[in-house]
């Protein structure tokens, strides 16, 4: 038995829906002879007649009646698959775990729309270590943690200063800025999966007393607003996640956060070089 192809099924559906070979040919934009050959190919592949043809009409055979429902589903699913690929090609999905590109997010989106009419730049939040990249949810990811997976390529696009996050009633909230030593003796909220804060940031004589594990930026902010912990994060979080009850203050002696874009090494997204240049210019 020869393989049944999508074109076979598409032609069968057209003949049934249009009521004949001539009408199906017009609908498909091919000749009537091509329709006849394709139906013959389908019947050869199935080893059975799918249509009864007379001088007056074309009707489904018993086998054709059993096949037509499956044929419609295959044709519809194939069309949906093509639409999905087409829509994906018209957009670049950028994943992020906490704060996209911070204060540069809107600037980058607007300039991209000017430079790439019809190709939308879509930011997608995903609280995974690769911001949705390894899960196939995005084409590019904004990462503020080092990447060791050799399936991905990365490019440094900028750096961001670190900020402390404290409750509005906290003693540090009255400062214009803070230092690493101001965290000594305190509990720090840390997202070990996607956050940028680790105990290695502090010198031994200024380390926090304890860490409090959280899952994502919302839980991080909730814990801090309640006064149960303080936090440290990149400037982007301070820009994109203002929260009543939480004050952000620059940490003047902390190492800045490196911001990278990452993508699949064997499948770089369209216009990647344009995106890299745009984001690098935004960070300046």
């Amino acid at each position: 038995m020869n393989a049944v192809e999508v074109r076979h099924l598409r032609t069968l559906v057209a003949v049934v829906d249009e009521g004949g070979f001539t009408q199906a040919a017009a609908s498909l934009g091919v000749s009537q002879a091509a329709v006849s050959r394709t139906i013959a190919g389908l019947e050869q592949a199935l080893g059975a007649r799918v249509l009864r043809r007379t001088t007056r009409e074309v009707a489904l055979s018993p086998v054709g009646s059993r096949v037509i429902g499956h044929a419609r589903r295959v044709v519809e699913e194939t069309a949906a698959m093509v639409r999905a690929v087409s829509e994906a090609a018209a957009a670049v999905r950028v994943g992020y775990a906490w704060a996209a590109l911070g204060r540069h997010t809107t600037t980058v989106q607007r300039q991209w729309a000017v430079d790439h009419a019809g190709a939308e730049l879509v930011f997608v939040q995903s609280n995974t270590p690769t911001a949705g990249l390894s899960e196939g949810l995005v084409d590019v990811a904004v990462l503020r943690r080092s990447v060791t997976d050799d399936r991905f390529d990365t490019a440094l696009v900028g750096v961001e200063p670190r900020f402390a996050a404290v409750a509005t009633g906290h003693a540090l909230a009255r400062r214009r800025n803070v230092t690493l030593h101001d965290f000594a003796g305190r509990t720090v909220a840390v997202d070990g999966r996607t956050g940028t804060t680790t105990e290695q940031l502090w010198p031994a004589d200024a380390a926090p007393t304890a860490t409090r594990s959280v899952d994502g930026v919302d839980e991080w902010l909730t814990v801090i607003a309640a006064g149960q912990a303080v936090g440290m994060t990149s400037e982007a979080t301070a820009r994109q996640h203002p929260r009543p009850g939480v004050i952000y203050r620059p940490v003047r002696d902390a190492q800045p956060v490196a911001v990278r874009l990452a993508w699949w090494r064997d499948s770089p997204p369209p216009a990647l070089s344009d995106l890299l240049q745009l984001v690098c210019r935004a960070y300046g």
Side-chain angles (χ1 to χ4, degrees), residues 11 13-32 35 56-58:
T11 301
V13 170
V15 170
V16 173
D17 288 350
E18 300 297 331
F21 282 59
T22 302
Q23 300 92 323
S27 173
L28 295 171
V30 299
S31 67
Q32 182 175 339
V35 171
R56 300 176 58 183
E57 66 176 1
V58 176

Side-chain angles (χ1 to χ4, degrees), residues 43-129:
E43 291 177 332
Q44 182 178 10
L46 293 175
R49 292 280 187 181
V50 294
L51 294 172
R52 287 176 171 168
R53 283 153 279 191
T54 68
T55 55
R56 300 176 58 183
E57 66 176 1
V58 176
L60 287 167
S61 70
V63 170
S65 296
R66 293 193 292 272
V67 166
I68 190 64
H70 299 288
R72 289 190 191 281
R73 286 192 290 275
V74 170
V75 171
E76 290 169 0
E77 288 298 321
T78 301
M81 180 176 62
V82 171
R83 284 196 303 273
V85 172
S86 176
E87 290 168 0
V92 177
R93 301 165 300 164
V94 181
Y96 66 96
W98 279 44
L101 299 172
R103 61 189 173 92
H104 307 298
T105 305
T106 301
T107 300
V108 168
Q109 283 182 300
R110 289 175 177 171
Q111 189 58 50
W112 179 271
V114 171
D115 297 340
H116 298 270
E120 192 175 11
L121 191 66
V122 180
F123 283 88
V124 180
Q125 186 170 18
S126 179
N127 194 40
T128 72

Side-chain angles (χ1 to χ4, degrees), residues 94-102 105 123 142 144 160 236 240-241 259 283:
V94 181
Y96 66 96
W98 279 44
L101 299 172
T105 305
F123 283 88
V142 180
R144 294 177 173 86
E160 296 167 345
Q240 285 199 241
H241 292 285
V259 183
Y283 275 92

Side-chain angles (χ1 to χ4, degrees), residues 5 21 68 76 83 99 109 116 135 137 163 165 190 210 216 228 251 270 279-280:
E5 301 176 19
F21 282 59
I68 190 64
E76 290 169 0
R83 284 196 303 273
Q109 283 182 300
H116 298 270
E135 293 78 14
L137 302 176
F163 276 64
V190 174
Q228 297 170 355
V251 185
V279 176
C280 285

Side-chain angles (χ1 to χ4, degrees), residues 95-204:
Y96 66 96
W98 279 44
L101 299 172
R103 61 189 173 92
H104 307 298
T105 305
T106 301
T107 300
V108 168
Q109 283 182 300
R110 289 175 177 171
Q111 189 58 50
W112 179 271
V114 171
D115 297 340
H116 298 270
E120 192 175 11
L121 191 66
V122 180
F123 283 88
V124 180
Q125 186 170 18
S126 179
N127 194 40
T128 72
T130 61
L133 188 61
S134 63
E135 293 78 14
L137 302 176
V138 298
D139 306 300
V140 184
V142 180
L143 301 180
R144 294 177 173 86
R145 294 160 62 101
S146 60
V147 181
T148 58
D149 193 326
D150 60 10
R151 296 177 300 170
F152 306 130
D153 273 336
T154 66
L156 179 69
V157 293
V159 295
E160 296 167 345
R162 293 184 192 265
F163 276 64
V166 299
T168 51
H170 196 281
L172 295 181
R174 297 191 291 271
R175 307 269 195 89
R176 294 181 62 181
N177 52 62
V178 301
T179 68
L180 289 171
H181 281 77
D182 289 319
F183 289 83
R186 307 185 190 279
T187 298
V188 176
V190 174
D191 182 340
R193 181 168 56 171
T194 61
T196 57
T197 301
T198 66
E199 295 181 13
Q200 286 69 42
L201 286 171
W202 282 272

